[in-house]
Amino acid sequence: MTHVRVKGFKIFKDRHGRMRCYHRATGHKIDLTEAPLGSAEFLAQCETIRAIAVAQKEKGLRAGTLSGLIKGYFETGHFANLAEATRRDYRKCADFLAPIRDTPVHVIDTPLIAGIHDKAAKKIGWRRANMVRTLLSEVFRHAIPQGLITANYAKDVIPKRRPRDRAYANRPWTIEERDIVLSRAKPHVRVALALMMNTGLDPSDALKLRKDQIDGDTIWGVRGKTGEEVAIPVSPTLQAALDSIPAHEAATVLASSQGAAWTYNGFSTVWQ
């Protein structure tokens, strides 16, 4: 039998007499049953692993770890162009993954991601678990063209379904509930709630709405999540709420009790 040597790879026979091969620097393994030693498939896998190792070194990632891939994704233009709420949710997902942040890229596969997905569903719920899966899918999708990983291992993980017996958390408020909330809210909060109730704008879009986007009886805006332009009629109920806004100098329609434009975190604190 001809002895094969490939620079940077360790080729050896294990205690069961089976041939093994792995890349010394990254730990990437080659399955010699699928790519027999010395075959074209074997040599192609060697070149792929070398390219991944070079790309990881050039990117300065943490020795090819999961955290390195996530950090690289957070630095992309794609991530920067996501809605603020989506970026915030993705960072929370990354925080959930922090305990396994040093997982080497070469051990990541679909079963591992499926296991992470299952564990997330038990700890943070089915919806957040699906968001963790989505984040990983985006991370892998953007890392593949850079040669940092070979496949999108999250793509074939089946999303969790909403439990059949779970009540909808965001059901519409009844008219009675709406009236109680508006009657008890402070003026600067009341108008924010009225704006969202009567337009369907989410908090991020409502807080960013500028005074010059209200033209007579129409609100002209763009939904941050979809980029879709919208024209929303101002109902009598909403007009009454707008007329009651405490005077302030902010360019936005809504303002805090100090008269400054709301930040999302600031409004969230008041909401809680």
Side-chain angles (χ1 to χ4, degrees):
M1 177 178 175
T2 303
H3 187 65
V4 177
R5 289 185 179 180
V6 184
K7 187 176 180 180
F9 289 81
K10 182 174 182 177
I11 301 171
F12 64 99
K13 185 179 294 186
D14 66 15
R15 62 190 180 88
H16 301 292
R18 289 177 294 189
M19 295 302 297
R20 304 284 188 181
C21 176
Y22 70 88
H23 187 245
R24 295 178 186 275
T26 65
H28 274 76
K29 297 178 182 178
I30 296 179
D31 187 344
L32 297 180
T33 60
E34 296 182 357
L37 200 61
S39 66
E41 292 81 4
F42 170 79
L43 296 175
Q45 285 202 31
C46 289
E47 288 305 312
T48 298
I49 292 171
R50 282 200 193 96
I52 290 175
V54 170
Q56 290 171 350
K57 186 175 181 180
E58 290 177 349
K59 281 286 182 179
L61 303 180
R62 295 182 58 192
T65 61
L66 178 61
S67 64
L69 296 184
I70 294 174
K71 179 177 181 293
Y73 172 66
F74 284 165
E75 294 172 350
T76 64
H78 178 274
F79 178 76
N81 285 327
L82 294 175
E84 179 183 349
T86 304
R87 295 198 305 271
R88 183 171 56 253
D89 286 340
Y90 278 0
R91 290 195 182 280
K92 289 180 181 178
C93 291
D95 291 340
F96 172 79
L97 295 168
I100 57 170
R101 61 181 178 271
D102 293 329
T103 301
V105 171
H106 71 269
V107 305
I108 296 175
D109 57 15
T110 297
L112 176 65
I113 301 304
I116 293 171
H117 188 221
D118 290 341
K119 185 174 182 179
K122 293 178 181 178
K123 293 194 68 174
I124 57 178
W126 67 276
R127 183 178 176 277
R128 302 294 298 181
N130 285 343
M131 189 168 293
V132 170
R133 171 193 171 275
T134 301
L135 167 63
L136 290 173
S137 182
E138 289 298 289
V139 168
F140 298 153
R141 187 165 71 91
H142 284 80
I144 290 171
Q146 301 177 58
L148 300 177
I149 198 167
T150 56
N152 185 344
Y153 295 111
K155 182 179 65 173
D156 293 330
V157 175
I158 301 173
K160 302 294 182 184
R161 297 188 63 179
R162 182 180 177 277
R164 189 182 298 274
D165 59 350
R166 180 70 59 85
Y168 283 96
N170 295 322
R171 64 169 178 78
W173 288 0
T174 65
I175 294 176
E176 291 76 15
E177 288 171 332
R178 182 201 66 184
D179 292 343
I180 290 172
V181 170
L182 291 180
S183 67
R184 297 183 181 180
K186 294 181 179 179
H188 62 292
V189 179
R190 182 184 305 124
V191 68
L193 296 173
L195 181 61
M196 289 184 280
M197 286 178 180
N198 289 276
T199 62
L201 292 174
D202 66 24
S204 293
D205 293 335
L207 297 178
K208 293 177 182 177
L209 187 70
R210 303 186 311 277
K211 295 174 180 176
D212 60 12
Q213 289 179 269
I214 301 180
D215 183 10
D217 60 357
T218 304
I219 294 175
W220 301 93
V222 177
R223 292 193 183 279
K225 203 168 190 69
T226 63
E228 177 185 359
E229 294 185 2
V230 293
I232 305 170
V234 178
S235 66
T237 302
L238 177 56
Q239 187 62 59
L242 294 174
D243 292 341
S244 68
I245 296 177
H248 63 82
E249 299 299 323
T252 53
V253 173
L254 304 177
S256 67
S257 57
Q258 284 76 38
W262 283 107
T263 63
Y264 185 92
N265 289 339
F267 184 75
S268 294
T269 301
V270 172
W271 174 266
Q272 292 298 332

